[in-house]
Amino acid sequence: MIRMKVAQALKTGEAGQLVDVRGWVRTRRDSKQAFSFVELNDGSCMANLQVVIDANVPGYADAIKHVTTGASIAIEGEVKDSPAKGQRIEVHATSLRVLGEADPLKYPLQKKGHSFEFLREIAHLRPRTNTFGAITRVRNAAATAIHNFFQSRGFCYIQSPIITTSDCEGAGQMFQVTTLDLHKLAASGKPVNFELDFFGKPASLTVSGQLEAEIFACSVGECYTFGPTFRAENSNTTRHLAEFWMVEPEMPFCDLTDNMKLAESFIKTVIGDVMKNCEADMAFFNERIDEKHELLATMQNILDHEFIRLPYTEAIDVLQKSGKKFEYSIEWGADLQSEHERFLTEEHFKQPVILFDYPRTLKPFYMRCNEDGKTVRAMDVLVPRVGEIIGGSQREERLDVLLERMKECHLDPETYWWYVDLRRYGTVPHAGFGLGFERLIQLVTGMANIRDCIPFPRVPKSAEF
RNA sequence: UCCUCGAUAGCUCAAUCGGUAGAGCGAGCGGCUGUUAACCGCUAGGUUUUAGGUUCGAGUCCUAAUCGAGGAGCCA
């Protein structure tokens, strides 16, 4: 008797093998007098294993009643070649055990489809569906691909802190972390004394690990972070989460050109790995999720072509000369609206676009200033359907220019003293970027809403699970 | 946060001009069948999100709240 996962059984199972398989029932089709067909799924792959349970299996009459959608069962049996179409092999049970019943009157998942909105309300059960099983496996494959990509290039994995007291870069509204008793504080009516708080000063959840990654890029060399990030923005869109995972590589002795090169091969490698390692899941997304069934073709198109590299100034020109009517007109100095980004990547170029050299007024203090005095070495990678998937830059390594820029952005260098120190002692040109992991999952799976690309989405007014 | 739309059976939806709330799926029961998101028959299942209001009468009209979706802003 060999204990087998469904994926393994379907791939390598051969007639005559005695196997022990366990999982959850997707559907049961009965032949009352003779036997039952059970579709068994254990999450190891998209496909189900067909189990045939004959009526003379011990305890059949009692047990089969409880073999309903959602119930967990353990089967011992023999692998046989399937006489019917639809599957290569099947398992003929010699024993059946119901491990956990699932009352069919109450079990929320049906064999037929559900809306994603409904499934979000039962996030504890949705991984049992085809779609969310597939997303989970793709997420896992993508995370593995990310580590492989960096590890194979000698990047060091850095764990940046989740709790921080530096109000870093103003990347977004922060979630405050405190052990102070808010009820007492509110009742007292007195101003808050943060010296009494856990860290002795205001603390928050991180909005980025970039500044910390720079510390390690300037010591151990190429490195990357991959961890949760928090933004307390009141954003209600299909592309934003309050808690999301971000990948942030940082490289010393590199400029913006190197940065773009890395970003491009990074995205291509991860997509390529997922397509190779999650073939069945990707086929499912192509057929059932992408309405036009173009997902695989779109991914292949990304792999086959070089990303467009377009300076901000030229992008403005392209947009102005496009003849396209935009809701917001565009001119040099203004930030691109979603409609503009979408036009460039979805209509004009129809592939990923790297925009770079943005006006300095639009970007944060740490981005390297160009000689023209007007722009900084910033880059955004835009992809069809998702929009901005990467934001990055070459960092300002010159102490005097950095201090100047901080002044311009009304930031106190004292607060960032350790960041400024990196320019004071052995400064080097360096660059890096941040990639939103869930947006990458959105791109690869074709899922419309980012809330379905993370196991437990956190958005305004919602953190049930 | 702003704009638009929505909330009716377990799920997905319908309900004409304001006049007795319906279907499909799912579920239960029965039948049939090496079945494949099976098929056929029967049955059960509703305080129409909540709180007010208009009206002889409200699922339908008005006000507010809550939740959800799409778009915008912010960004990854």
Side-chain angles (χ1 to χ4, degrees):
Chain A
M1 192 72 60
I2 318 163
R3 167 85 178 95
M4 268 195 190
K5 300 285 279 288
V6 168
Q8 190 190 357
L10 289 175
K11 206 171 173 189
T12 67
E14 281 176 26
Q17 280 179 325
L18 297 179
V19 294
D20 169 357
V21 290
R22 301 169 194 196
W24 292 266
V25 176
R26 280 295 173 79
T27 74
R28 187 185 92 214
R29 294 179 294 272
D30 280 342
S31 169
K32 266 270 157 38
Q33 307 303 315
F35 45 77
S36 301
F37 294 102
V38 171
E39 294 286 334
L40 190 72
N41 188 288
D42 64 0
S44 58
C45 62
M46 168 67 60
N48 302 321
L49 175 65
Q50 176 160 284
V51 178
V52 183
I53 309 175
D54 198 86
N56 61 27
V57 167
Y60 174 88
D62 272 342
I64 200 70
K65 295 198 286 270
H66 303 297
V67 180
T68 55
T69 302
S72 51
I73 60 172
I75 294 287
E76 291 177 349
E78 185 182 344
V79 176
K80 294 196 176 175
D81 291 324
S82 180
K85 283 182 184 166
Q87 57 280 318
R88 184 179 65 85
I89 53 123
E90 60 192 24
V91 170
H92 286 234
T94 51
S95 101
L96 158 68
R97 260 190 314 147
V98 176
L99 303 176
E101 299 173 13
D103 183 350
L105 287 174
K106 293 179 185 158
Y107 186 65
L109 291 175
Q110 315 170 160
K111 13 183 161 177
K112 294 226 175 171
H114 292 284
S115 67
F116 294 135
E117 292 81 30
F118 172 69
L119 290 173
R120 263 170 237 151
E121 292 170 11
I122 49 167
H124 60 308
L125 295 174
R126 68 177 185 169
R128 297 187 188 189
T129 64
N130 284 336
T131 304
F132 287 89
I135 293 167
T136 307
R137 288 183 294 271
V138 164
R139 221 183 128 93
N140 176 63
T144 305
I146 286 167
H147 283 297
N148 287 345
F149 175 85
F150 288 121
Q151 293 298 327
S152 69
R153 280 167 176 74
F155 281 60
C156 193
Y157 177 33
I158 303 297
Q159 292 76 30
S160 53
I162 289 171
I163 298 177
T164 170
T165 56
S166 70
D167 174 23
C168 47
E169 63 168 292
Q173 284 288 111
M174 302 176 88
F175 285 102
Q176 192 163 358
V177 174
T178 183
T179 51
L180 295 172
D181 187 324
L182 297 180
H183 291 292
K184 267 191 204 163
L185 270 176
S188 75
K190 289 182 205 154
V192 181
N193 180 1
F194 281 106
E195 284 175 21
L196 300 176
D197 204 351
F198 191 91
F199 297 105
K201 53 175 155 175
S204 312
L205 296 178
T206 183
V207 292
S208 165
Q210 180 200 315
L211 304 192
E212 289 86 355
E214 286 187 50
I215 292 175
F216 283 88
C218 297
S219 47
V220 299
E222 286 84 351
C223 63
Y224 69 105
T225 71
F226 185 6
T229 307
F230 308 86
R231 306 266 167 100
E233 301 287 353
N234 191 5
S235 316
N236 295 286
T237 78
T238 53
R239 302 181 296 285
H240 289 85
L241 291 165
E243 176 181 309
F244 65 99
W245 284 63
M246 191 148 64
V247 181
E248 294 177 289
E250 196 69 35
M251 303 168 290
F253 318 110
C254 281
D255 61 15
L256 194 67
T257 309
D258 302 317
N259 207 21
M260 291 186 211
K261 205 182 283 177
L262 184 82
E264 175 169 358
S265 56
F266 172 64
I267 289 180
K268 285 181 171 174
T269 302
V270 175
I271 290 177
D273 279 13
V274 170
M275 286 177 78
K276 196 172 75 201
N277 297 324
C278 298
E279 218 173 326
D281 294 319
M282 289 302 292
F284 173 85
F285 290 124
N286 193 62
E287 289 311 306
R288 306 292 279 262
I289 299 299
D290 185 10
E291 280 175 12
K292 292 180 183 161
H293 313 301
E294 287 171 353
L295 182 69
L296 291 175
T298 306
M299 292 305 108
Q300 197 58 50
N301 185 55
I302 291 177
L303 295 184
D304 292 345
H305 295 89
E306 201 174 330
F307 289 11
I308 304 292
R309 283 153 169 79
L310 187 69
Y312 168 90
T313 304
E314 283 180 34
I316 299 299
D317 204 43
V318 169
L319 288 165
Q320 286 175 338
K321 287 181 179 157
S322 68
K324 172 109 179 164
K325 274 241 164 165
F326 294 110
E327 195 180 330
Y328 297 88
S329 62
I330 183 76
E331 56 187 50
W332 204 97
D335 217 347
L336 270 60
Q337 309 284 326
S338 319
E339 56 174 342
H340 304 130
E341 297 184 346
R342 200 164 286 154
F343 172 80
L344 290 173
T345 183
E346 290 175 2
E347 288 182 52
H348 192 76
F349 293 111
K350 294 187 168 46
Q351 55 179 304
V353 178
I354 307 179
L355 286 180
F356 65 100
D357 283 353
Y358 281 76
R360 62 193 282 166
T361 49
L362 297 178
K363 294 292 181 182
F365 72 95
Y366 53 74
M367 296 190 176
R368 194 179 197 279
C369 294
N370 279 315
E371 310 312 319
D372 63 10
K374 295 192 298 186
T375 60
V376 290
R377 308 235 75 194
M379 66 171 208
D380 282 356
V381 180
L382 311 178
V383 294
R385 231 189 50 250
V386 176
E388 183 179 345
I389 198 167
I390 279 179
S393 67
Q394 183 175 337
R395 320 304 188 190
E396 182 54 75
E397 85 281 11
R398 297 163 296 187
L399 179 63
D400 53 334
V401 183
L402 183 71
L403 291 173
E404 180 69 18
R405 277 288 282 157
M406 292 180 91
K407 207 175 186 183
E408 205 174 293
C409 298
H410 307 292
L411 295 169
D412 180 7
E414 281 298 304
T415 326
Y416 297 88
W417 64 273
W418 50 266
Y419 189 74
V420 176
D421 261 9
L422 298 178
R423 279 73 182 166
R424 204 166 267 139
Y425 310 119
T427 190
V428 294
H430 59 292
F433 62 80
L435 167 125
F437 186 51
E438 284 74 20
R439 286 189 180 173
L440 180 66
I441 300 301
Q442 227 183 331
L443 174 70
V444 174
T445 60
M447 292 296 292
N449 196 317
I450 201 166
R451 297 169 192 200
D452 300 322
C453 295
I454 187 168
F456 305 104
R458 270 90 182 90
V459 293
K461 300 278 189 286
S462 172
E464 177 70 18
F465 296 91

